[in-house]
Amino acid sequence: MSAPTKIDVVLFDIGGVIVQMGDFAMLGPFGDIRESDGIRKVWLESPIVDAHERGLIEPTDFAARMVETYSINCAPSEFLDRCIAWHGDLFVDVEDTIAAIDPSLRIGCLSNTCAYHWANQPCAARIDELFETQFLSFRMGAMKPEGAIYRAVADQLD
């Protein structure tokens, strides 16, 4: 059995861990797909979402492509509004939980997200205050669960 590893950094995911997320159905029907599980599957497998969360396409282009490709019955601007409304507030006691972490540890986050969501979610300013170190897919050009993002984080944290 090996000796315990010293912990220097605590990293949190954001969506569903720090920030409450709405049901995928809030994004509206994707063509004939109306149920949350189906929309979630399309979202997670979409090359358009992937490109946007890697920082490769701008929000207006992302929304226009999503609306057209997946037959979402709304204007691209409304789709962007739905995407922001999909993000809720911080979970109860998150700020207290993070504040209770040993102050000698660095506290950060590692999240798949896009610049538009990151800046416009309802609790953006509070999230920014919570995490001194932020590893975000749109800034890094890589996404979880790919090994590249974890290697980049490890390299940056030394």
Side-chain angles (χ1 to χ4, degrees), residues 61-127:
D61 189 24
F62 160 73
R65 288 186 193 184
M66 290 295 289
V67 166
E68 181 179 344
T69 302
Y70 300 110
S71 302
I72 301 169
N73 192 17
C74 68
S77 60
E78 182 182 336
F79 183 71
L80 286 176
D81 290 344
R82 291 176 187 178
C83 287
I84 294 305
W86 183 36
H87 292 244
D89 201 359
L90 299 178
F91 279 103
V92 175
D93 296 330
V94 159
E95 291 164 302
D96 292 339
T97 299
I98 291 173
I101 294 173
D102 181 339
S104 70
L105 298 175
R106 290 176 67 188
I107 300 171
C109 62
L110 170 59
S111 187
N112 288 344
T113 190
C114 64
Y116 187 76
H117 282 150
W118 189 251
N120 293 295
Q121 60 190 323
C123 53
R126 290 167 56 208
I127 293 171

Side-chain angles (χ1 to χ4, degrees), residues 125-148:
R126 290 167 56 208
I127 293 171
D128 230 19
E129 292 173 6
L130 288 173
F131 302 109
E132 66 178 82
T133 306
Q134 300 171 355
F135 298 101
L136 307 172
S137 62
F138 72 90
R139 292 180 184 157
M140 299 179 76
M143 291 177 53
K144 299 179 300 175
E146 298 164 0

Side-chain angles (χ1 to χ4, degrees), residues 42-53 57 65-66 69-70:
V42 170
W43 182 272
L44 293 175
E45 294 176 358
S46 171
I48 302 165
V49 171
D50 185 270
H52 189 49
E53 290 191 348
I57 58 176
R65 288 186 193 184
M66 290 295 289
T69 302
Y70 300 110

